[in-house]
Every structure is written in C-alpha cells, then in structure tokens.
Amino acid sequence: IKMGLSEHEKRDKKLFDTISPKYLKKDLAPQSSIARKHRLLSSLKGVEFNKDTRILEVGCGAGFSVKYLDNPYAEYIGVDYSQGLIDYANHYNSSRNAKFICANIKEYNPLVKFDVIFMIGVLHHFDDMQSIMNQIVALLKPRGVLVVNEPQGSNSLVQGLRKLRTKRDKGYSEDQVQLLPVDLEKLFEFSGLTNVKSFGQGYFSTPFAEVILKPKGITKPASKSAVYLDRFIEKSNLKILDRVGWNLVCKGVR
C-alpha cells in the first residue's frame, strides 16, 4: 500500500535534501561526532546485541551509526527518505554488513524482520506518530526491541533554546515537537509494546551533537567533558533528572 508523504513530510524531505551537505558535517567534525556517538550508545544502553542481531535504523541520515555502534551484529539496514543523505551514507559508511536504502518508511516492507529498531530524533517528523509506530513495531521480530530518542518537553529552558534555534538556524526544521515521558510511553503501549521504559538523555552534550561549535581546539575537549558529565548523570539513575535533559529515550519490547 502506497501511503505517500503528507505536506509536512514533503517539506521535511525537501529540507533534508537541501541541507544534506551541511548535515553531514556534524558527523565529520570531531567536536560533534563525540557527542553524537554518546547519544546513540546511551540510548541503546541495556539493549542486547549478538552476532545474529539484525538492526534497522529509521531516519539513518548519513549512516554514521555504523561507525558509532560498538556492539556485535549480523546486519544493519539504514532507511531514510532523503536521497542526498543516503548518497553520503553509501559513500562514507557502506560495509559488508551495512546497507542503506532511500525509502519512505511507510512503504518499506522487508522480507525479514528485525531484532532491534531505533530512531534518533525522527518520530516527531511524522504527522501521525501512532500510525508510524504501529507500522514500525510490525517490522520487529517477537521479543524485538524498539528504541526512540526524541526532544522532550519537560524542561522549559530547553524548549526556549530550541525555539530560539528555529529562528536563527535555517537548516533547523520549524516543525519541532517536544514530547513528555507520558506521551511517548503511551505511543509505545498503544502499539502493543511491553516493558516500556523512558529516561532522560543529553544534559550537557546535546548542544555539541546538534551544532558544530568552534574553534575545534577548544570545543573538542569541551565536548569530551560534556559527554563525561552526561555519563556520570545518566549512571545516577535519579528519576528527577529525566525531566531536565534535552532528550527523552523510550524503549519497548514486542
């Protein structure tokens, strides 16, 4: 069934096709890639991988998750609807067990299902998040795990900074949705997932992940320090801190 893209999603696709060269630079700049790797790995903490694990990343961008992952796996599939980003993914990150596909996830119907699916800052780009969640959950094997990292709306200061960025950064989508933990957990539960858990992510490192800050000689060690602080905070497991981070991670099992 061909569902196509909504007008909002068409604007988003056009934006990412346009800014793909600029977007790529985030993963090439060490001061940003350090924080972007941390965001991925901290989102996936507790998820079990082995040499037989099949991974799907929805909204894979330029595919640098292949380089950031430090877990064993059999196959990684990255899907994105921006041809520009997929071209970069194939150029920089293709490997024997990694494949990149330019496709609308609404129309993606693989023959084999996945053990782990993750989305980093992707879900809010779709109009009907519950419908997309249902479709993505259908791509999981029984006992497969879905992990989503999204901008969260619990911290008013963070919301204000994001709003300011939409005014100043032409490469930043104006269609930003920030979710509360209860909202994301409901999306997971209504999709039939169990063992649903959410936690905050990204306290000091997120600005480094999203913007290439200069000069590199100063911002690279600063990014490393921010990641170190985030690891310390995330290990504390204090629930009150979940609502002050930039991002919200939610996990569920099919």
Side-chain angles (χ1 to χ4, degrees), residues 45-64:
K45 68 179 181 181
V47 178
E48 295 183 6
F49 293 81
N50 59 53
K51 61 182 179 60
D52 298 316
T53 301
R54 297 190 73 245
I55 302 169
L56 171 65
E57 180 176 10
V58 180
C60 65
F64 280 85

Side-chain angles (χ1 to χ4, degrees), residues 137-157:
V137 168
L139 302 179
L140 279 172
K141 294 179 182 178
R143 304 301 300 169
V145 179
L146 175 64
V147 179
V148 169
N149 183 310
E150 283 291 305
Q152 74 152 315
S154 300
N155 189 327
S156 57
L157 174 60

Side-chain angles (χ1 to χ4, degrees), residues 203-219:
Y203 300 89
F204 294 96
S205 64
T206 297
F208 292 94
E210 293 301 326
V211 180
I212 302 174
L213 300 173
K214 299 179 180 180
K216 184 175 72 172
I218 295 173
T219 58

Side-chain angles (χ1 to χ4, degrees), residues 190-239:
F190 290 165
S191 300
L193 295 174
T194 61
N195 297 331
V196 175
K197 298 178 182 178
S198 67
F199 57 90
Q201 189 280 320
Y203 300 89
F204 294 96
S205 64
T206 297
F208 292 94
E210 293 301 326
V211 180
I212 302 174
L213 300 173
K214 299 179 180 180
K216 184 175 72 172
I218 295 173
T219 58
K220 182 180 177 181
S223 180
K224 287 183 177 179
S225 297
V227 166
Y228 178 83
L229 285 170
D230 276 9
R231 286 176 181 156
F232 179 79
I233 293 169
E234 289 160 11
K235 283 180 180 178
S236 71
N237 292 320
L238 293 175
K239 294 304 293 180

Side-chain angles (χ1 to χ4, degrees), residues 156-186:
S156 57
L157 174 60
V158 166
Q159 291 183 59
L161 290 171
R162 280 202 168 101
K163 186 174 291 187
L164 178 63
R165 186 182 172 196
T166 62
K167 305 298 182 184
R168 299 176 62 88
D169 186 350
K170 299 301 181 184
Y172 190 59
S173 173
E174 294 182 2
D175 300 313
Q176 293 295 314
V177 176
Q178 298 173 41
L179 298 171
L180 296 173
V182 65
D183 298 326
L184 199 49
E185 288 170 8
K186 283 181 179 178

Side-chain angles (χ1 to χ4, degrees), residues 42-150:
S42 63
S43 298
L44 293 173
K45 68 179 181 181
V47 178
E48 295 183 6
F49 293 81
N50 59 53
K51 61 182 179 60
D52 298 316
T53 301
R54 297 190 73 245
I55 302 169
L56 171 65
E57 180 176 10
V58 180
C60 65
F64 280 85
S65 292
V66 170
K67 285 189 169 64
Y68 297 155
L69 285 167
D70 59 2
N71 312 95
Y73 60 88
E75 184 180 25
Y76 164 100
I77 303 292
V79 175
D80 201 293
Y81 59 19
S82 168
Q83 185 64 58
L85 288 172
I86 290 296
D87 289 344
Y88 283 127
N90 282 315
H91 178 76
Y92 285 96
N93 296 305
S94 61
S95 69
R96 180 183 57 81
N97 56 348
K99 181 179 179 181
F100 302 101
I101 300 169
C102 184
N104 177 356
I105 194 62
K106 295 177 178 179
E107 300 170 4
Y108 178 58
N109 295 299
L111 296 176
V112 182
K113 296 188 177 183
F114 297 90
D115 301 286
V116 177
I117 300 177
F118 64 84
M119 297 185 280
I120 307 296
V122 173
L123 184 59
H124 69 274
H125 288 283
F126 293 99
D127 287 326
D128 188 345
M129 288 188 281
Q130 188 65 67
S131 175
I132 288 294
M133 281 285 296
N134 294 342
Q135 290 177 271
I136 290 171
V137 168
L139 302 179
L140 279 172
K141 294 179 182 178
R143 304 301 300 169
V145 179
L146 175 64
V147 179
V148 169
N149 183 310
E150 283 291 305

